[in-house]
Structure formats: structure tokens, C-alpha cells
Amino acid sequence: MLVALVGIGKIALDQHVPAIAGSPDWELAATVSRHGSVEGVEAWDDFTAMLEARPDIRVVSLCLPPVPRFAYAAEAIRAGRHVMLEKPPGATLSECHALQDMAREMRVSLFATWHSREADKVDAARGWLSDKTLRRLTVTWKEDVRRWHPGQAWIWEPGGLGVFDPGINALSIVTKILPKPIHLSGAVLKFPENRQTPIAADLAFAHPDGAEVTADFDWRQEGDQIWTIEAETEAGTLVLSDGGARMTVDGAEAGTEEDAPLSGEYPRLYAAMARLVRDGASDVDLAPMRHVADAFTLGRREIVAPFEE
Amino acid sequence: MLVALVGIGKIALDQHVPAIAGSPDWELAATVSRHGSVEGVEAWDDFTAMLEARPDIRVVSLCLPPVPRFAYAAEAIRAGRHVMLEKPPGATLSECHALQDMAREMRVSLFATWHSREADKVDAARGWLSDKTLRRLTVTWKEDVRRWHPGQAWIWEPGGLGVFDPGINALSIVTKILPKPIHLSGAVLKFPENRQTPIAADLAFAHPDGAEVTADFDWRQEGDQIWTIEAETEAGTLVLSDGGARMTVDGAEAGTEEDAPLSGEYPRLYAAMARLVRDGASDVDLAPMRHVADAFTLGRREIVAPFEE
């Protein structure tokens, strides 16, 4: 299938382009970007013009930041194209609902992707937890914003989500691996004095069986970077680390290779998109984004030291 | 039908008690509250004990503030009771989704009420707008917090929503009367230096046909109180004022009495709840709350003068 990639920035070049190149399902037929391009691929800067000139490209993959994304997604759907959205699927929950309605009406596939859900051991963790009684779940997601988001000014602007930009990856895994739904019961959001989005957040969730569920997101981490989810159950403790790439149960490596047939998060996302288009289906799970919106709504705001890149 | 009223504060005494007393469908069989009670009605302070002692009371109406409400709602649903929720239906969107799932599983009726949607002229406004092309919609919701929320400390605490507590009423009307869905495109939230929730907010929404949709919420209004929605269309201008109680089209009174057979917002809510229970149905529309969560997520935060009651 032919796909057009819109928004040629870091995530597109690091992840989307190689995943498309390595897939038997896909061919990168065009890029749309003001600045970026991909060698050997037809490059556009006018999205409307691309849609009109290339009716043969039935699928559009959007890697723009969340705030401008809606207008592109809406235009693509109205033009009858299937649409794949980077995470988070939009700047607001309401616009995601609107896109769902539009996709249904236009009978196209809409895929709100959560790349971290495709990390190697996430399915195995889900399987292991499915029949266990959870006592405690602790998310620790601490990284250095200077290292992972150099020059990305939009992450500090309203709608850029701040530390929830990586944190929502953790929430996308948690909402996939837990068999029962949780909801936020309290949060503290730490806003740098000179920024519009939080640099750190502590979250507490209510669990139907009373398990203690917490998350600690921090963008001020120097040295070792930590992306870990620890689940203590009555039958042992599962640790998912490196963002879902590694898994141990009671300290021993777990999660066999059969759990992860295709290699890599983005190759799996593109394989899933190919299936959705073939099946005429959509996949839009807004749960991770709802938890983030809940944190902004219910969270206690604290002002912390200014952040300068 | 017998109903138990939980949370006997200002809204319960001002609105719920008289609405129940005046209804042919309902009898107030019990109250649950730490401090309040209603003369002549069995009074409890232990909710669990009430549910156990009075299995004949099949319906529970919750008027507590949003943060503690979930635990009561969940317990009532698990005990097989039908539940009616004051607005907003919860402190988080995720807990509202969880309640919906629980109500479905337990086969009980869940009603997330929006009392302003039952104001006298709202249905007439919806009817009038249904076949018009919208050009501009302007919401002005300005009231004096000291007058309407005396001593309600929870409105300033995380989850209390601040000026969105009345503002969500406006959003509940807007989402009912507009034939097409809108989504937030930008917002400014004004937080008093010493408070956790905003005292004022300016919102801008995207409309599918490009109509200019804005809302101006302010809790610092002295003198005349303003709860107005003005809708400019290609076929004239509709003004809904006094929170939906009055309506004009191009300056002339409009919306006949037939549009509003039952009198009063809360009597209509209780009549609707009686219908839901009889029909085995639920009514949970989270759109107004989603817009508020979107505003907290996407809004630019500004710090303004401290607020002292």
C-alpha cells in the first residue's frame, strides 16, 4: 500500500521511515513537510495539493505535534483517506471523538497509535497479569528532557503536555496490561516557573480491588534513564523495564520470543495499520489520553524552578 | 418510587428536596449526610448501613461534591441501585467511564444530570438552531462567586473546577443546542495566586463550518449577573439568557410555553430519571466534562490576583 508521511521531524526519520522501508505491506509514496524530506521520495509542502494530485495514496500517517494535527487528520478523512495518528492522537479529547465520528461516516480506517504498547514484552506482561491479583503497581518514568527533546519548543507550550509526552507512553502500557480499569484519585503537577507544561508529575490511581497504583514522571533525570513498571501480585512481582523491552518475574528474565514475532514498535504499528485497512476497521483507544486530561483537571499545581534548555 | 438523597447541602435543599416533594413519581425515603437532614425524613450518616437496611430504596441521588462522589456511586451500583449524579458526574472522566461499565454490568440505570439543559428555553433553542447555519456563538457566563458559592472551599481545591463549576452548565447547554460538535482550539485559564482552580477562563472552539465559537467565564462579576448564549446565524440571532430561562430571536421573545411542559430544571431531571428507571436505560453524556478537561489540558495558565472570600 502507498502511504504519505506528514511532518518530517525526529520521530518520522528515526522511526516511521525505517519501519515503512522494512515492511512488505508499505511503500512511502510522498512526504509532506515545510522543512524535512526523505531522499528519493516525492516531497510536498502543501497537504491539500498532495491529496488532490495523488488520489492513489489511500493512507496518510501523521507525525506532526498534537496541536496542528487535527486539521490535517480532518482534511485527510474528508478526502476519503485512511489515517494513522502518532501519539497522543490529538490536542483535545473532543477533537479525537470528532475524528472518530468523521472516520465512521467516511468509512475509512482511523488508527490512534500507542507505540509503547508494541514494545517487545508488553503482550507477555499482559498475559502474565491477566489471571493474577494485583497488590501494587508502581510506574517510574524518569528521563532527561534535554537528551530526548532537544529544541522541541512545542512540548512546553499549552497542549504540548510536558512530562506527560513520555508519561502517556507509560499510561498506554499500563492501560493495556492491567485487566481492570483504574482512575486517577490524585496528582501533583510540577510546573517550571517559566513554562506552561509540567516537568514532573506524581499520580495516584484508584483500583477496583484496592491495589496501590502510582506513577512518578520526571523529566529532570540525569544519569541512568528509567522507564519501569513494577507490578506486585499475590503470585510474584513482574518488572517491565526499558520502556517494555525487558521483563522479569521475581528477578528472572521472562517473556519468550514467541510473544514478539515482528521486531520493533513501529514495524508492529505499521503491520497493525495494514490489517485495519484490509479489515475496514478502526482502533482508537483514548484511555491513556483521558488519564492525562484527568491529571490536568484534578492535579494540584506546584511551581518549581525555571527550566532553561 | 423511593429515592435516597446523599449529600444534604445547598443544592440538595434548594433544588432536589422540593423537586422530589413536588413529583408524582418520587418519594424521599432517606437522606445520607454527615451534617444535613430533611425534616420528617429518615436520616442516615452511614451510606453502607442505609443500603443494607433499606433494600426497598432502589434509587440513589448523589449531591456530594465531585471528588468524593465516585466511591458512593460505585457502592450504590454494586448494591444494585439506580444512580442519579449531580453535575459534573465525577472528578475524572475515567471514573465516569468506569461507572458506565459498572452500571451496564449490574443492569441499573445511571443518569449523569446536567440541570441547565432542562432550563425552560433550551429545547426551543435547540429546535430553532437545528436547521440554521451558525456564524458565531458567544457564551458569556459571569457571576459573583461570593454570592453563589459562599463557604464552598472545595470549589477552590484540585478537582473543584473553579469557574468551570458554573461554566460547565453553559457547556452543557451549548453541546445540547448545537447540531454539530465543537472542540476546544485554545484557552486562557486565570488562576488566583493563592488558589488551585481558575477564577476566570476564555475559551475558543473550532466548529466544523468555521463558525466563531467562544466562551467567557468569570467569577469576579459584581452587579448584574450574566448567563447568556448568543448564536448568530444566517437567518437571525438567537439569544438565550438567564441561564436558558429566556430566549429571543432578533430581539423578540421566542420559545413558546409548549416547549416546556414541566416547570423547572430539577423537576424535569427527576421526571427523566423516572423514565430511565422504567425503561431500564441510562443517560451519560460526558461531552461537557470533556470540554472542561480539554481546557485544563490545553489552556494557557495565567496567574492573577489572590482571591479571599
Side-chain angles (χ1 to χ4, degrees):
Chain A
M1 271 178 280
L2 303 185
V3 58
L5 199 54
V6 182
I8 306 300
K10 182 168 164 54
I11 194 74
L13 296 172
D14 287 356
Q15 301 291 349
H16 290 255
V17 171
I20 293 166
S23 164
D25 297 314
W26 296 101
E27 181 186 333
L28 182 56
T31 61
V32 182
S33 182
R34 274 174 307 170
H35 305 297
S37 64
V38 174
E39 207 184 310
V41 178
E42 189 177 295
W44 297 77
D45 59 5
D46 182 332
F47 186 54
T48 308
M50 187 282 289
L51 289 174
E52 279 172 16
R54 296 295 308 265
D56 57 320
I57 303 178
R58 304 308 305 159
V59 180
V60 170
S61 180
L62 300 178
C63 319
L64 311 135
V67 169
R69 201 179 297 146
F70 174 82
Y72 286 84
E75 185 176 354
I77 293 171
R78 275 194 221 102
R81 304 313 210 276
H82 308 288
V83 172
M84 184 165 162
L85 303 166
E86 248 301 344
K87 50 73 43 174
T92 65
L93 286 162
S94 304
E95 75 189 50
C96 295
H97 283 263
L99 290 180
Q100 277 186 289
D101 290 345
M102 290 171 60
R104 212 171 287 127
E105 198 185 324
M106 292 298 297
R107 297 167 184 275
V108 298
S109 294
L110 180 65
F111 185 16
T113 68
W114 299 105
H115 65 82
S116 292
R117 286 185 172 177
E118 307 300 330
D120 282 0
K121 304 298 183 189
V122 169
D123 273 344
R126 176 192 174 106
W128 191 85
L129 285 168
S130 64
D131 59 357
K132 307 290 188 299
T133 300
L134 189 71
R135 285 187 186 146
R136 181 179 289 122
L137 185 118
T138 309
V139 178
T140 311
W141 224 252
K142 297 185 174 187
E143 60 175 51
D144 182 351
V145 62
R146 291 185 174 88
R147 189 156 141 198
W148 302 101
H149 298 272
Q152 291 184 4
W154 62 268
I155 57 176
W156 296 112
E157 286 302 303
L161 300 188
V163 77
F164 287 100
D165 180 74
I168 204 169
N169 296 337
L171 295 172
S172 75
I173 296 175
V174 168
T175 48
K176 184 174 181 186
I177 65 177
L178 283 189
K180 295 187 180 182
I182 54 174
H183 66 265
L184 195 81
S185 54
V188 176
L189 311 186
K190 293 167 190 171
F191 289 81
E193 203 179 276
N194 60 338
R195 302 289 178 169
Q196 282 290 333
T197 57
I199 197 165
D202 291 314
L203 313 179
F205 294 88
H207 183 273
D209 304 333
E212 192 182 304
V213 178
T214 59
D216 181 355
F217 299 157
D218 206 318
W219 245 353
R220 299 166 298 187
Q221 179 77 2
E222 297 179 4
D224 280 352
Q225 308 287 292
I226 308 173
W227 299 284
T228 297
I229 297 171
E230 189 173 330
E232 195 185 310
T233 75
E234 97 296 354
T237 296
L238 177 148
V239 178
L240 205 50
S241 53
D242 293 353
R246 291 188 56 224
M247 170 173 156
T248 61
V249 172
D250 292 333
E253 294 285 336
T256 60
E257 288 310 309
E258 290 91 313
D259 294 317
L262 249 171
S263 188
E265 299 179 2
Y266 283 80
R268 288 185 198 116
L269 288 180
Y270 275 93
M273 182 66 183
R275 282 193 300 275
L276 289 173
V277 172
R278 275 194 293 264
D279 297 347
S282 283
D283 179 351
V284 181
D285 176 11
L286 300 179
M289 198 169 161
R290 217 150 44 214
H291 288 303
V292 171
D294 287 341
F296 275 94
T297 308
L298 183 58
R300 182 173 292 277
R301 292 168 303 104
E302 282 181 15
I303 304 301
V304 298
F307 174 83
E308 305 296 349
E309 191 164 340
Chain B
M1 271 178 280
L2 303 185
V3 58
L5 200 54
V6 182
I8 306 300
K10 182 168 164 55
I11 193 76
L13 297 171
D14 288 356
Q15 301 291 348
H16 290 256
V17 171
I20 293 167
S23 165
D25 297 314
W26 296 101
E27 181 186 334
L28 182 57
T31 61
V32 182
S33 182
R34 274 174 307 170
H35 306 296
S37 63
V38 174
E39 208 185 309
V41 177
E42 188 177 296
W44 296 77
D45 58 4
D46 182 330
F47 185 54
T48 307
M50 188 281 290
L51 289 174
E52 280 172 16
R54 295 296 308 266
D56 56 319
I57 303 178
R58 304 309 304 159
V59 180
V60 170
S61 180
L62 299 178
C63 320
L64 311 135
V67 169
R69 201 179 296 146
F70 174 82
Y72 287 83
E75 187 177 353
I77 293 171
R78 275 194 221 102
R81 306 310 211 275
H82 308 288
V83 172
M84 184 165 162
L85 302 166
E86 247 300 345
K87 49 71 48 171
T92 64
L93 286 162
S94 304
E95 74 189 52
C96 296
H97 282 264
L99 290 180
Q100 278 187 288
D101 291 345
M102 291 171 59
R104 211 173 288 128
E105 199 186 321
M106 293 297 298
R107 298 168 183 275
V108 297
S109 294
L110 180 65
F111 184 18
T113 68
W114 300 105
H115 65 82
S116 293
R117 286 185 173 177
E118 305 302 330
D120 282 0
K121 304 298 183 189
V122 170
D123 273 345
R126 176 193 174 104
W128 191 84
L129 285 169
S130 64
D131 59 356
K132 308 290 189 297
T133 300
L134 188 71
R135 284 187 185 147
R136 179 178 291 124
L137 184 118
T138 310
V139 177
T140 311
W141 223 253
K142 296 185 175 186
E143 60 176 50
D144 182 351
V145 63
R146 291 185 174 88
R147 188 155 142 198
W148 302 101
H149 297 272
Q152 292 183 3
W154 62 266
I155 57 176
W156 296 111
E157 286 301 304
L161 300 189
V163 76
F164 286 101
D165 180 74
I168 204 169
N169 296 337
L171 296 172
S172 75
I173 296 175
V174 169
T175 48
K176 184 174 181 185
I177 64 177
L178 283 189
K180 295 187 180 181
I182 54 174
H183 65 265
L184 194 80
S185 53
V188 176
L189 311 185
K190 293 168 190 170
F191 290 82
E193 201 178 276
N194 60 339
R195 302 288 178 170
Q196 280 290 335
T197 56
I199 196 164
D202 292 314
L203 313 179
F205 293 88
H207 182 274
D209 304 333
E212 192 182 304
V213 178
T214 59
D216 181 355
F217 299 158
D218 206 319
W219 246 353
R220 299 166 299 188
Q221 178 77 3
E222 297 179 5
D224 282 351
Q225 307 288 291
I226 308 173
W227 299 284
T228 298
I229 298 169
E230 188 173 332
E232 193 185 312
T233 75
E234 99 294 354
T237 296
L238 177 148
V239 178
L240 205 50
S241 52
D242 293 352
R246 291 188 56 223
M247 171 174 155
T248 61
V249 171
D250 292 334
E253 293 285 336
T256 60
E257 288 311 308
E258 290 93 312
D259 294 318
L262 250 169
S263 188
E265 298 179 5
Y266 282 80
R268 286 182 199 120
L269 288 181
Y270 275 92
M273 182 65 182
R275 282 193 301 275
L276 289 172
V277 172
R278 274 196 292 266
D279 298 348
S282 284
D283 179 352
V284 181
D285 176 11
L286 300 178
M289 197 168 161
R290 217 151 43 216
H291 288 304
V292 171
D294 287 341
F296 275 94
T297 308
L298 183 58
R300 182 173 291 277
R301 291 168 305 105
E302 281 182 15
I303 304 301
V304 299
F307 174 82
E308 305 296 349
E309 192 167 339

